[in-house]
Amino acid sequence: MAKVPSAVVAASGLVGGYGVARWTKKRQLGGVVLAAAGAAAAQQWRERAGGRAAGALTAAYVAGFAGSHPLAKKVGAWPAVLGVAGAVALASWAVADRRDGDREALAATAGA
């Protein structure tokens, strides 16, 4: 089974958490989605990039969530959520997923 990149998990948590909260009108349910995806992403970050990187990326995830609220007042809710999700996904890819992709590419060329 293919691995889901941590960047996708993190961005999905931010977007999905907001979407669930908005459409169900239950903020707590959105928070569950946000927390579950954040925990899954943090585990992947720790496995792929180590504890220090996982801590920094988790802080970025939480900061993205918190920062989307004041940003939404300036640009709108969905643009704010999508913007911070993209920023967190980019950071996640750069720190954790890119390295994992490099290892898979090396393994594929070594076996050829």
mmCIF file of all heavy atoms in Angstrom, residues 53-82:
data_model
loop_
_atom_site.group_PDB
_atom_site.id
_atom_site.type_symbol
_atom_site.label_atom_id
_atom_site.label_comp_id
_atom_site.label_asym_id
_atom_site.label_seq_id
_atom_site.Cartn_x
_atom_site.Cartn_y
_atom_site.Cartn_z
ATOM 1 N N ALA A 53 12.357 17.928 14.286
ATOM 2 C CA ALA A 53 11.599 18.365 13.107
ATOM 3 C C ALA A 53 10.102 18.184 13.342
ATOM 4 O O ALA A 53 9.300 19.048 12.961
ATOM 5 C CB ALA A 53 12.037 17.595 11.869
ATOM 6 N N ALA A 54 9.730 17.073 13.973
ATOM 7 C CA ALA A 54 8.314 16.832 14.261
ATOM 8 C C ALA A 54 7.765 17.916 15.183
ATOM 9 O O ALA A 54 6.638 18.389 14.987
ATOM 10 C CB ALA A 54 8.135 15.451 14.893
ATOM 11 N N GLY A 55 8.557 18.322 16.171
ATOM 12 C CA GLY A 55 8.123 19.392 17.061
ATOM 13 C C GLY A 55 7.921 20.702 16.325
ATOM 14 O O GLY A 55 6.933 21.408 16.547
ATOM 15 N N ALA A 56 8.854 21.021 15.446
ATOM 16 C CA ALA A 56 8.746 22.270 14.675
ATOM 17 C C ALA A 56 7.546 22.232 13.727
ATOM 18 O O ALA A 56 6.815 23.230 13.604
ATOM 19 C CB ALA A 56 10.030 22.513 13.893
ATOM 20 N N LEU A 57 7.330 21.097 13.070
ATOM 21 C CA LEU A 57 6.206 20.997 12.146
ATOM 22 C C LEU A 57 4.869 20.983 12.884
ATOM 23 O O LEU A 57 3.882 21.544 12.391
ATOM 24 C CB LEU A 57 6.351 19.761 11.259
ATOM 25 C CG LEU A 57 7.454 19.868 10.204
ATOM 26 C CD1 LEU A 57 7.731 18.517 9.563
ATOM 27 C CD2 LEU A 57 7.101 20.905 9.146
ATOM 28 N N THR A 58 4.842 20.380 14.054
ATOM 29 C CA THR A 58 3.620 20.407 14.865
ATOM 30 C C THR A 58 3.319 21.840 15.295
ATOM 31 O O THR A 58 2.160 22.276 15.259
ATOM 32 C CB THR A 58 3.761 19.483 16.089
ATOM 33 O OG1 THR A 58 3.974 18.139 15.620
ATOM 34 C CG2 THR A 58 2.521 19.529 16.972
ATOM 35 N N ALA A 59 4.352 22.582 15.672
ATOM 36 C CA ALA A 59 4.158 23.990 16.022
ATOM 37 C C ALA A 59 3.634 24.775 14.818
ATOM 38 O O ALA A 59 2.757 25.645 14.966
ATOM 39 C CB ALA A 59 5.464 24.595 16.528
ATOM 40 N N ALA A 60 4.149 24.480 13.630
ATOM 41 C CA ALA A 60 3.664 25.149 12.415
ATOM 42 C C ALA A 60 2.197 24.800 12.148
ATOM 43 O O ALA A 60 1.415 25.668 11.736
ATOM 44 C CB ALA A 60 4.529 24.764 11.218
ATOM 45 N N TYR A 61 1.829 23.558 12.387
ATOM 46 C CA TYR A 61 0.438 23.107 12.203
ATOM 47 C C TYR A 61 -0.497 23.882 13.141
ATOM 48 O O TYR A 61 -1.519 24.422 12.704
ATOM 49 C CB TYR A 61 0.374 21.607 12.484
ATOM 50 C CG TYR A 61 -0.949 20.934 12.218
ATOM 51 C CD1 TYR A 61 -1.322 20.557 10.931
ATOM 52 C CD2 TYR A 61 -1.822 20.622 13.252
ATOM 53 C CE1 TYR A 61 -2.519 19.900 10.683
ATOM 54 C CE2 TYR A 61 -3.018 19.969 13.026
ATOM 55 C CZ TYR A 61 -3.360 19.605 11.738
ATOM 56 O OH TYR A 61 -4.552 18.957 11.488
ATOM 57 N N VAL A 62 -0.128 23.951 14.415
ATOM 58 C CA VAL A 62 -0.943 24.672 15.401
ATOM 59 C C VAL A 62 -0.971 26.169 15.080
ATOM 60 O O VAL A 62 -2.025 26.813 15.154
ATOM 61 C CB VAL A 62 -0.424 24.411 16.833
ATOM 62 C CG1 VAL A 62 -1.130 25.288 17.850
ATOM 63 C CG2 VAL A 62 -0.594 22.936 17.189
ATOM 64 N N ALA A 63 0.184 26.716 14.693
ATOM 65 C CA ALA A 63 0.244 28.136 14.334
ATOM 66 C C ALA A 63 -0.602 28.414 13.091
ATOM 67 O O ALA A 63 -1.245 29.469 13.000
ATOM 68 C CB ALA A 63 1.684 28.567 14.102
ATOM 69 N N GLY A 64 -0.607 27.487 12.152
ATOM 70 C CA GLY A 64 -1.440 27.645 10.959
ATOM 71 C C GLY A 64 -2.919 27.689 11.321
ATOM 72 O O GLY A 64 -3.671 28.530 10.821
ATOM 73 N N PHE A 65 -3.319 26.777 12.204
ATOM 74 C CA PHE A 65 -4.705 26.765 12.667
ATOM 75 C C PHE A 65 -5.044 28.092 13.355
ATOM 76 O O PHE A 65 -6.042 28.735 13.030
ATOM 77 C CB PHE A 65 -4.925 25.588 13.619
ATOM 78 C CG PHE A 65 -6.206 25.675 14.395
ATOM 79 C CD1 PHE A 65 -7.425 25.515 13.769
ATOM 80 C CD2 PHE A 65 -6.188 25.919 15.752
ATOM 81 C CE1 PHE A 65 -8.614 25.610 14.484
ATOM 82 C CE2 PHE A 65 -7.366 26.009 16.477
ATOM 83 C CZ PHE A 65 -8.578 25.860 15.848
ATOM 84 N N ALA A 66 -4.215 28.490 14.302
ATOM 85 C CA ALA A 66 -4.468 29.730 15.044
ATOM 86 C C ALA A 66 -4.388 30.952 14.128
ATOM 87 O O ALA A 66 -5.206 31.871 14.228
ATOM 88 C CB ALA A 66 -3.477 29.862 16.193
ATOM 89 N N GLY A 67 -3.419 30.959 13.228
ATOM 90 C CA GLY A 67 -3.227 32.106 12.342
ATOM 91 C C GLY A 67 -4.306 32.264 11.293
ATOM 92 O O GLY A 67 -4.520 33.361 10.766
ATOM 93 N N SER A 68 -5.001 31.187 10.981
ATOM 94 C CA SER A 68 -6.059 31.288 9.968
ATOM 95 C C SER A 68 -7.232 32.128 10.469
ATOM 96 O O SER A 68 -7.945 32.725 9.659
ATOM 97 C CB SER A 68 -6.542 29.899 9.553
ATOM 98 O OG SER A 68 -7.232 29.253 10.608
ATOM 99 N N HIS A 69 -7.421 32.191 11.767
ATOM 100 C CA HIS A 69 -8.550 32.957 12.299
ATOM 101 C C HIS A 69 -8.418 34.466 12.042
ATOM 102 O O HIS A 69 -9.324 35.058 11.452
ATOM 103 C CB HIS A 69 -8.735 32.645 13.788
ATOM 104 C CG HIS A 69 -9.226 31.260 14.021
ATOM 105 N ND1 HIS A 69 -8.392 30.170 14.021
ATOM 106 C CD2 HIS A 69 -10.462 30.785 14.248
ATOM 107 C CE1 HIS A 69 -9.111 29.078 14.243
ATOM 108 N NE2 HIS A 69 -10.367 29.425 14.376
ATOM 109 N N PRO A 70 -7.318 35.109 12.445
ATOM 110 C CA PRO A 70 -7.216 36.542 12.129
ATOM 111 C C PRO A 70 -7.044 36.788 10.625
ATOM 112 O O PRO A 70 -7.514 37.807 10.106
ATOM 113 C CB PRO A 70 -5.983 37.008 12.911
ATOM 114 C CG PRO A 70 -5.235 35.789 13.288
ATOM 115 C CD PRO A 70 -6.226 34.664 13.312
ATOM 116 N N LEU A 71 -6.398 35.860 9.943
ATOM 117 C CA LEU A 71 -6.241 36.018 8.497
ATOM 118 C C LEU A 71 -7.592 35.986 7.793
ATOM 119 O O LEU A 71 -7.816 36.703 6.812
ATOM 120 C CB LEU A 71 -5.316 34.922 7.948
ATOM 121 C CG LEU A 71 -4.980 34.975 6.471
ATOM 122 C CD1 LEU A 71 -4.274 36.290 6.110
ATOM 123 C CD2 LEU A 71 -4.114 33.776 6.092
ATOM 124 N N ALA A 72 -8.510 35.165 8.303
ATOM 125 C CA ALA A 72 -9.844 35.057 7.697
ATOM 126 C C ALA A 72 -10.593 36.387 7.720
ATOM 127 O O ALA A 72 -11.394 36.663 6.821
ATOM 128 C CB ALA A 72 -10.655 33.989 8.414
ATOM 129 N N LYS A 73 -10.315 37.223 8.701
ATOM 130 C CA LYS A 73 -10.976 38.524 8.775
ATOM 131 C C LYS A 73 -10.526 39.456 7.656
ATOM 132 O O LYS A 73 -11.236 40.374 7.277
ATOM 133 C CB LYS A 73 -10.728 39.170 10.137
ATOM 134 C CG LYS A 73 -11.411 38.415 11.252
ATOM 135 C CD LYS A 73 -11.132 39.021 12.588
ATOM 136 C CE LYS A 73 -11.845 38.175 13.641
ATOM 137 N NZ LYS A 73 -11.657 38.636 14.972
ATOM 138 N N LYS A 74 -9.351 39.172 7.107
ATOM 139 C CA LYS A 74 -8.811 40.022 6.040
ATOM 140 C C LYS A 74 -9.095 39.472 4.642
ATOM 141 O O LYS A 74 -9.359 40.235 3.729
ATOM 142 C CB LYS A 74 -7.304 40.190 6.218
ATOM 143 C CG LYS A 74 -6.940 40.910 7.491
ATOM 144 C CD LYS A 74 -5.442 41.061 7.627
ATOM 145 C CE LYS A 74 -5.077 41.593 8.972
ATOM 146 N NZ LYS A 74 -4.922 42.996 9.084
ATOM 147 N N VAL A 75 -9.013 38.135 4.478
ATOM 148 C CA VAL A 75 -9.133 37.561 3.135
ATOM 149 C C VAL A 75 -10.312 36.614 2.967
ATOM 150 O O VAL A 75 -10.575 36.146 1.870
ATOM 151 C CB VAL A 75 -7.833 36.823 2.724
ATOM 152 C CG1 VAL A 75 -6.649 37.765 2.715
ATOM 153 C CG2 VAL A 75 -7.566 35.617 3.612
ATOM 154 N N GLY A 76 -11.016 36.301 4.043
ATOM 155 C CA GLY A 76 -12.117 35.356 3.983
ATOM 156 C C GLY A 76 -11.697 34.007 4.554
ATOM 157 O O GLY A 76 -10.508 33.673 4.590
ATOM 158 N N ALA A 77 -12.673 33.251 4.991
ATOM 159 C CA ALA A 77 -12.392 32.000 5.700
ATOM 160 C C ALA A 77 -11.700 30.959 4.821
ATOM 161 O O ALA A 77 -10.645 30.433 5.185
ATOM 162 C CB ALA A 77 -13.682 31.431 6.277
ATOM 163 N N TRP A 78 -12.295 30.625 3.690
ATOM 164 C CA TRP A 78 -11.700 29.580 2.856
ATOM 165 C C TRP A 78 -10.321 29.961 2.326
ATOM 166 O O TRP A 78 -9.398 29.135 2.368
ATOM 167 C CB TRP A 78 -12.639 29.175 1.710
ATOM 168 C CG TRP A 78 -13.661 28.169 2.154
ATOM 169 C CD1 TRP A 78 -15.001 28.366 2.257
ATOM 170 C CD2 TRP A 78 -13.421 26.831 2.588
ATOM 171 N NE1 TRP A 78 -15.604 27.228 2.722
ATOM 172 C CE2 TRP A 78 -14.660 26.263 2.928
ATOM 173 C CE3 TRP A 78 -12.277 26.051 2.720
ATOM 174 C CZ2 TRP A 78 -14.799 24.957 3.384
ATOM 175 C CZ3 TRP A 78 -12.407 24.742 3.181
ATOM 176 C CH2 TRP A 78 -13.649 24.202 3.501
ATOM 177 N N PRO A 79 -10.128 31.179 1.821
ATOM 178 C CA PRO A 79 -8.769 31.533 1.387
ATOM 179 C C PRO A 79 -7.743 31.436 2.521
ATOM 180 O O PRO A 79 -6.608 31.000 2.304
ATOM 181 C CB PRO A 79 -8.904 32.968 0.882
ATOM 182 C CG PRO A 79 -10.330 33.084 0.471
ATOM 183 C CD PRO A 79 -11.090 32.238 1.462
ATOM 184 N N ALA A 80 -8.144 31.812 3.723
ATOM 185 C CA ALA A 80 -7.226 31.736 4.866
ATOM 186 C C ALA A 80 -6.874 30.288 5.179
ATOM 187 O O ALA A 80 -5.700 29.945 5.354
ATOM 188 C CB ALA A 80 -7.854 32.403 6.091
ATOM 189 N N VAL A 81 -7.881 29.431 5.241
ATOM 190 C CA VAL A 81 -7.647 28.016 5.550
ATOM 191 C C VAL A 81 -6.803 27.367 4.460
ATOM 192 O O VAL A 81 -5.840 26.633 4.747
ATOM 193 C CB VAL A 81 -8.984 27.270 5.739
ATOM 194 C CG1 VAL A 81 -8.766 25.764 5.819
ATOM 195 C CG2 VAL A 81 -9.692 27.766 6.989
ATOM 196 N N LEU A 82 -7.123 27.616 3.212
ATOM 197 C CA LEU A 82 -6.349 27.023 2.121
ATOM 198 C C LEU A 82 -4.919 27.555 2.094
ATOM 199 O O LEU A 82 -3.981 26.800 1.808
ATOM 200 C CB LEU A 82 -7.049 27.281 0.783
ATOM 201 C CG LEU A 82 -8.398 26.575 0.623
ATOM 202 C CD1 LEU A 82 -9.075 27.024 -0.673
ATOM 203 C CD2 LEU A 82 -8.246 25.068 0.662
#
